[in-house]
Amino acid sequence: MRETVLGIGTAALILGASQAAHAGMFNPETFTLENGMKVVVIPNRRAPVVSHWVWYNVGSADSPLGQSGIAHFLEHLMFKGTDTIPPGEFSRRIARNGGNDNAFTSNDFTAYFQNIARDRLEMVMEMEADRMTNLRLRDEDVLPERDVVLEERSQRVDNDPGARLGEALDNAQFMHHPYRLPIIGWRHEMAQYDREKALAFYRDHYAPNNAVLIVAGDVDAAELRPLAERIYGSIPPRDLPPRTRVQEPPQEAARRVTLSDPRVRQPSMSRSYLAPSYSAGDTAQAYPLQVLAEVLGGGGTSRLYRELVVNQQLAVGVGAFYRPTALDLSSFRVYATPRPGVDLEAVEAAVDAEIRKVLAEGVTEDEVARARKRMSAASVYARDSLGTAARTLGTALTTGRTVEDVEAWPDRIRAVTAEQVNAAAKAVLVAGHSVTGLLLPSAPSEGASAQPEGEAPQTPPIGDRDQS
Amino acid sequence: MRPVAPFLAACFMAAVMTTTLKPEQALAAEGGSADVEVVRTPGGLEAYLIHAPAVPFLSMAFDFEGGGALDPEGKEGLAYMVSGLLDEGAGDLDSEAFRTELEDRSIRLSFDATKDGFAGSLKTLTEERGRAFELLRLAVTQPRFDEEPVGRIRSQILSSLDRQLEDPQYVASESWFATAFQGHPYARTTQGTPASIEAITVDDMRGFVGRRLAQGNLRIGVAGDITAAELAPLLDATFGALPEEAAPVEVANVEPMPGGTTVIRKNLPQSVVMFGHGAVARHDPDYYAAYVANYILGGGGFSSRLMEEIREKRGLAYSVYSYLYPLDHASLWIGGTGTENARVSQSIEILRREVARMAAGEVTQEELDNAKTYLTGSFPLRLTSNDEIARMLVGMQTAKLGPNFLKERNGFIEAVDLDDLKRVAERVFSADRLHVVVVGNPPDLEG
């Protein structure tokens, strides 16, 4: 019931196979196939199951102009059949074999996974390799799926004022770079998707030399390598288009976006600052910024919570959020929801005062030490789950990082000093690089066609379709 | 019970199972060959344990029988509000001192209230184990309910209610229960109403703690880096000071109201639908056949009939799902979907048709076989996290499944034959009894 801050300990997590109780990371094994496909194996013998993933180095930010969201649409169409597997049969076959599967799309990557008994690993590898090259699409499958993603957009975005403001915020934060586009796409462009556009995107980007294979669970590299070489290694590499994205110009004007909707009963504010990531901008700040987010908004003893929620009693919820994993620039965000009866202006002023205080006086060594300790502990908890290991490594390898980077995360967090945090705060918390988003109620009026909904999604979605 | 961060970007998935309630799947989670130890403490407590020493931490889940359904009239949300305050100061530690210690030691402690129970979870690194259990002891035996945290948590709940009253999923779910269980405690909201949350006093909360937190109605599940010998004294030290017995749970058994469509007008582009009717109790011999039938009808993700007909063939929805939801005093089959206003009646029509087809016993051996291979094969897949295992060990006790359930469960599924499946499908499913709630602006639906 406390505001949880998502993404700091979670997005940045390292995790690993929970086999050895030594305090290090999980020591994944890696190799590269002759066609350029990277392979990562994370042995975890806890149960006779494997989590098998293929990650493609392509995401929503690689969509052609006018085709926003096409990467996500293709992700849906990847379940629509190949020369040998009829439409819809992919997931049914996984299920008949006692497995779960799903897929998801982000700015920089698209990932497909199956969780299944270890003796079915070869089967899922064959199926995944098959749809890497043999996708067959018919209009009778593509067109209903276009309606599906439009319904998905309604469910996630259009029914939800908070999510609609979020789109406006991203769009203002990135003035030029394609991160300004929604991952799911703009509705008017989604309505124009067709078979040819999807296939063109597929042919451009789906190739073994643009993919990473990750297997976590009851298997090791010695067992996996021959399978990987035979199944994926036999697929010829393709020439890939250069991954050229337009880059963000210098930002100097603070922006504000405001959404008023009769269905908003609970106003809220969010402030986003353009920030470096692990891979772009002043990348040395990526670790200090994670610690800064923890000190500012990482739970019930963070600065924002103690000050705005407990001491001044202005807010019911506050937080800070920074995601360091991106191929290009990222953002550092703080948000606050006022107590019933408190003006949003007062809350925003209090947020600003806390930010000024950090810039003027800095965070203390003690605060940083506490944050570092909490964050390292989170990495222990993260080692408990199969999926988290694969997800963390996949995200890293598709956003410009290495396995070594992931392995070194706890050490690098433990090395962060207050001085570094303060330097990063000064570099990033700059008004001219910011967007302030305000979600406001409005009196319903005749003919106001608010497209409404109530509640921001709590976390990145978990595609748990498994009902047993 | 956590206010959520607005505007967080998320990944988009091919399919998402929306869960608005915590169904039984939580307890049918883990499988495989893990050995469940029944830990009986010198003080007379009992816990289920799976010892998993690979990573140096443990997860404990626990549940006191009796939750929001017992909230007094006009004090709805009492159990829920208590769940937000037990970790906000206890013993000599005020809220700030208590929270600081939890966070600095990376101890994750939280409480939650459901209709039937008051649940908690504790997660701690092995090195902080002793203090973690000590803080839990303080939370359940000496909560402070100081003025500042009480005011703060109250305002957080009010704020979150405010937001939820415009969340179509929440509105659909609450409306479904309100209409299906009219006049019964299950009709009332666990999270309270603005008026009832305002009315709750510290005395009410102390009364709840005194009546409900006891040893006799407590179920405990532990997974991770701890042995039975280490756990037993910790449990006695933590819960031993609680009263022997809780007050009796006085909630009548009830059948949900059959039939009817309720439309709640909201200016939304997509209508949100919740549907359901009565089903079978968890301990009913037909439960597993019903479970298999639900998998085929709506529980099987991409493989279910509802998904095939509503999403795959016609593109009417992104998400459509259903599950068995056995409460302590009622048994439900419920589900949900969402379709643009202009076409939502088509989704509901297909839903009714598919429910009727299942109710007529139209199911094949091949569907049964496929359901079995999935349900039995996927059972061990979730034996991969201490949190889930601990929750499931509690669920096994709540449902009185016994410590060998993990080994027995696939046998129960395998034992379902086609005659059982047809008979139980006819018994459980009914298009006529289907109670549907629509939140949105459908042009061609009234109710």
Side-chain angles (χ1 to χ4, degrees):
Chain A
M1 106 163 252
R2 196 169 321 282
E3 187 88 43
T4 38
V5 179
L6 305 169
I8 172 106
T10 40
L13 278 188
I14 14 309
L15 17 53
S18 36
Q19 56 199 130
H22 61 74
M25 278 293 85
F26 46 92
N27 305 313
E29 304 172 276
T30 59
F31 55 93
T32 302
L33 301 179
E34 280 182 24
N35 58 12
M37 189 168 180
K38 289 181 186 162
V39 184
V40 180
V41 191
I42 308 141
N44 178 340
R45 306 293 186 179
R46 184 168 181 169
V49 301
V50 290
S51 188
H52 167 264
W53 298 65
V54 169
W55 296 69
Y56 291 96
N57 289 299
V58 65
S60 61
D62 303 298
S63 305
L65 196 62
Q67 296 179 33
S68 58
I70 193 84
H72 169 253
F73 186 50
L74 175 61
E75 176 229 302
H76 278 242
L77 296 177
M78 285 288 282
F79 294 85
K80 293 297 181 186
T82 64
D83 294 342
T84 51
I85 297 183
E89 179 65 16
F90 189 99
S91 293
R92 281 196 289 268
R93 192 172 295 181
I94 300 291
R96 281 201 303 274
N97 283 276
N100 300 317
D101 73 317
N102 213 327
F104 52 86
T105 308
S106 188
N107 276 320
D108 297 318
F109 58 76
T110 313
Y112 300 84
F113 67 90
Q114 301 85 34
N115 299 315
I116 202 154
R118 63 157 304 172
D119 61 355
R120 311 295 156 91
L121 175 60
E122 188 172 355
M123 179 195 84
V124 298
M125 290 171 75
E126 299 270 14
M127 289 168 66
E128 197 62 83
D130 172 49
R131 67 177 174 177
M132 186 184 285
T133 51
N134 299 321
L135 186 66
R136 291 293 170 268
L137 295 178
R138 306 172 311 179
D139 279 345
E140 62 252 47
D141 300 310
V142 171
L143 298 178
E145 203 60 29
R146 186 170 69 188
D147 287 337
V148 169
V149 293
L150 286 165
E151 290 292 351
E152 181 177 4
R153 186 182 158 85
S154 295
Q155 182 176 318
R156 291 181 182 279
V157 183
D158 301 324
N159 256 16
D160 182 343
R164 286 159 44 220
L165 178 64
E167 281 191 347
L169 191 79
D170 289 338
N171 195 252
Q173 179 69 88
F174 293 95
M175 302 187 300
H176 193 47
H177 186 281
Y179 287 168
R180 73 190 188 283
L181 303 170
I183 293 168
I184 199 164
W186 299 120
R187 180 172 288 273
H188 66 285
E189 293 182 349
M190 297 168 72
Q192 301 301 314
Y193 291 159
D194 60 28
R195 180 174 162 273
E196 287 68 31
K197 286 174 181 168
L199 281 175
F201 194 80
Y202 173 73
R203 283 191 296 265
D204 276 348
H205 299 287
Y206 279 54
N209 44 319
N210 204 28
V212 183
L213 168 66
I214 300 186
V215 184
D218 193 4
V219 64
D220 61 28
E223 297 168 282
L224 186 71
R225 186 191 282 267
L227 290 174
E229 283 174 346
R230 179 173 61 78
I231 297 167
Y232 289 110
S234 59
I235 303 171
R238 300 165 76 148
D239 287 339
L240 299 169
R243 206 173 184 186
T244 49
R245 295 170 174 177
V246 293
Q247 293 301 308
E248 204 51 20
Q251 295 191 359
E252 54 183 14
R255 283 134 286 161
R256 289 175 84 77
V257 290
T258 304
L259 182 78
S260 298
D261 188 303
R263 294 183 50 256
V264 174
R265 291 169 179 243
Q266 184 60 63
S268 58
M269 65 83 59
S270 171
R271 170 79 53 73
S272 175
Y273 297 91
L274 195 68
S277 67
Y278 282 131
S279 305
D282 186 353
T283 56
Q285 292 170 352
Y287 295 93
L289 286 173
Q290 290 169 67
V291 175
L292 178 64
E294 180 71 16
V295 170
L296 261 182
T301 58
S302 67
R303 283 189 173 209
L304 286 169
Y305 194 92
R306 291 307 311 170
E307 202 48 45
L308 271 66
V309 180
V310 179
N311 296 342
Q312 299 180 35
Q313 307 197 349
L314 292 170
V316 288
V318 292
F321 175 80
Y322 168 64
R323 193 181 61 201
T325 49
L327 210 51
D328 295 312
L329 293 171
S330 184
S331 62
F332 185 99
R333 294 184 180 187
V334 294
Y335 56 87
T337 303
R339 276 202 186 204
V342 175
D343 281 347
L344 199 55
E345 291 78 9
V347 171
E348 189 183 349
V351 168
D352 282 330
E354 287 306 307
I355 288 171
R356 277 198 305 274
K357 196 171 158 196
V358 166
L359 294 173
E361 301 164 28
V363 299
T364 67
E365 199 57 61
D366 177 60
E367 283 176 303
V368 171
R370 290 180 58 225
R372 287 192 310 240
K373 185 174 173 218
R374 288 200 299 269
M375 293 163 80
S376 331
S379 73
V380 175
Y381 292 146
R383 286 167 49 202
D384 190 41
S385 138
L386 220 56
T388 319
R391 200 177 281 249
T392 302
L393 281 155
T395 301
L397 293 174
T398 51
T399 54
R401 297 166 71 228
T402 65
V403 168
E404 292 68 34
D405 289 329
V406 173
E407 290 288 276
W409 185 88
D411 292 338
R412 291 182 191 168
I413 286 293
R414 279 192 286 264
V416 170
T417 65
E419 197 180 346
Q420 292 170 329
V421 173
N422 292 330
K426 283 197 168 73
V428 171
L429 303 178
V430 176
H433 304 169
S434 77
V435 185
T436 304
L438 303 178
L439 187 63
L440 301 173
S442 65
S445 58
E446 274 314 301
S449 71
Q451 309 164 308
E453 178 12 330
E455 180 112 30
Q458 176 145 2
T459 54
I462 314 296
D464 182 10
R465 298 178 291 112
D466 180 5
Q467 287 291 293
S468 103
Chain B
M1 161 128 230
R2 293 176 188 279
V4 294
F7 331 136
L8 291 182
C11 291
F12 288 89
M13 308 202 66
V16 169
M17 184 49 71
T18 324
T19 43
T20 44
L21 297 153
K22 284 183 220 153
E24 147 96 359
Q25 66 210 82
L27 68 83
E30 322 299 334
S33 57
D35 276 315
V36 177
E37 293 176 79
V38 181
V39 181
R40 293 192 176 84
T41 71
L45 289 161
E46 191 172 282
Y48 285 6
L49 166 69
I50 288 188
H51 179 216
V55 186
F57 81 97
L58 68 80
S59 298
M60 175 164 82
F62 53 94
D63 186 67
F64 295 95
E65 188 193 2
L70 298 171
D71 291 342
E73 291 278 349
K75 304 275 188 176
E76 291 81 8
L78 172 60
Y80 185 60
M81 189 159 168
V82 171
S83 78
L85 280 155
L86 289 194
D87 59 352
E88 286 284 354
D92 295 336
L93 302 171
D94 68 7
S95 169
E96 185 175 5
F98 196 89
R99 304 291 327 168
T100 300
E101 193 164 1
L102 287 178
E103 291 187 12
D104 285 357
R105 296 176 186 270
S106 296
I107 298 165
R108 311 260 171 99
L109 173 64
S110 68
F111 297 90
D112 196 15
T114 62
K115 287 183 189 297
D116 290 326
F118 187 84
S121 70
L122 177 72
K123 189 163 167 170
T124 178
L125 302 174
T126 303
E127 65 199 42
E128 301 288 1
R129 200 159 74 191
R131 189 57 182 161
F133 278 87
E134 173 67 9
L135 290 169
L136 172 58
R137 178 185 71 81
L138 291 174
V140 296
T141 57
Q142 301 174 43
R144 288 167 63 120
F145 299 114
D146 290 339
E147 191 178 343
E148 183 280 321
V150 167
R152 172 160 47 92
I153 299 300
R154 194 191 309 274
S155 69
Q156 286 181 343
I157 296 173
L158 290 171
S159 165
S160 140
L161 282 176
D162 236 1
R163 201 166 25 195
Q164 294 195 341
L165 290 171
E166 288 297 346
D167 172 1
Q169 299 278 0
Y170 181 84
V171 172
S173 173
E174 291 295 327
S175 310
W176 196 93
F177 279 88
T179 48
F181 290 110
Q182 214 163 12
H184 185 275
Y186 281 166
R188 299 185 300 143
T189 163
T190 303
Q191 296 186 24
T193 65
S196 69
I197 292 295
E198 293 280 16
I200 290 167
T201 66
V202 169
D203 283 348
D204 293 329
M205 293 191 279
R206 290 197 186 285
F208 175 89
V209 169
R211 282 192 310 276
R212 305 293 348 141
L213 306 194
Q215 297 181 61
N217 65 334
L218 170 63
R219 279 93 32 148
I220 303 162
V222 180
D225 183 27
I226 189 166
T227 64
E230 292 164 332
L231 178 62
L234 283 171
L235 293 179
D236 277 340
T238 303
F239 298 115
L242 290 173
E244 290 286 317
E245 293 300 336
V249 172
E250 287 164 347
V251 176
N253 291 343
V254 60
E255 287 283 329
M257 193 89 68
T261 299
T262 309
V263 177
I264 295 165
R265 290 280 157 197
K266 293 258 182 202
N267 192 8
L268 297 161
Q270 184 187 70
S271 285
V272 171
V273 181
M274 184 160 165
F275 57 84
H277 57 44
V280 281
R282 185 64 188 80
H283 52 78
D284 189 302
D286 287 343
Y287 181 81
Y288 289 97
Y291 193 75
V292 171
N294 171 65
Y295 173 82
I296 293 165
L297 179 54
F302 284 128
S303 302
S304 78
R305 291 177 177 183
L306 291 178
M307 188 70 108
E308 176 66 22
E309 297 298 321
I310 291 176
R311 170 171 159 161
E312 298 297 304
K313 280 189 188 168
R314 299 176 181 83
L316 285 165
Y318 168 58
S319 165
V320 56
Y321 60 93
S322 68
Y323 49 85
L324 292 179
Y325 184 41
L327 288 146
D328 286 359
H329 307 283
S331 305
L332 300 176
W333 174 75
I334 51 179
T337 189
T339 301
E340 64 172 293
N341 292 318
R343 298 207 295 166
V344 68
S345 58
Q346 206 182 329
S347 295
I348 295 169
E349 199 178 315
I350 293 165
L351 164 71
R352 289 190 186 281
R353 190 190 74 201
E354 289 303 322
V355 173
R357 206 156 69 85
M358 183 57 83
E362 288 180 39
V363 58
T364 66
Q365 186 65 45
E366 187 188 14
E367 286 178 304
L368 171 60
D369 293 343
N370 289 342
K372 280 185 184 179
T373 56
Y374 173 77
L375 292 172
T376 57
S378 64
F379 196 48
L381 280 181
R382 285 166 291 172
L383 194 71
T384 55
S385 109
N386 287 338
D387 284 359
E388 287 174 322
I389 295 173
R391 274 198 301 273
M392 185 268 313
L393 293 174
V394 169
M396 280 159 56
Q397 294 167 83
T398 307
K400 301 184 175 63
L401 301 170
N404 298 320
F405 173 73
L406 297 182
K407 293 194 172 73
E408 296 165 348
R409 182 266 191 184
N410 278 355
F412 298 141
I413 300 281
E414 292 289 4
V416 175
D417 66 25
L418 193 59
D419 291 340
D420 284 333
L421 189 58
K422 288 175 188 263
R423 176 181 57 79
V424 173
E426 289 168 22
R427 173 192 157 187
V428 171
F429 294 98
S430 160
D432 296 337
R433 284 193 294 120
L434 202 60
H435 182 68
V436 180
V437 172
V438 183
V439 180
N441 202 10
D444 54 349
L445 282 179
E446 289 177 20

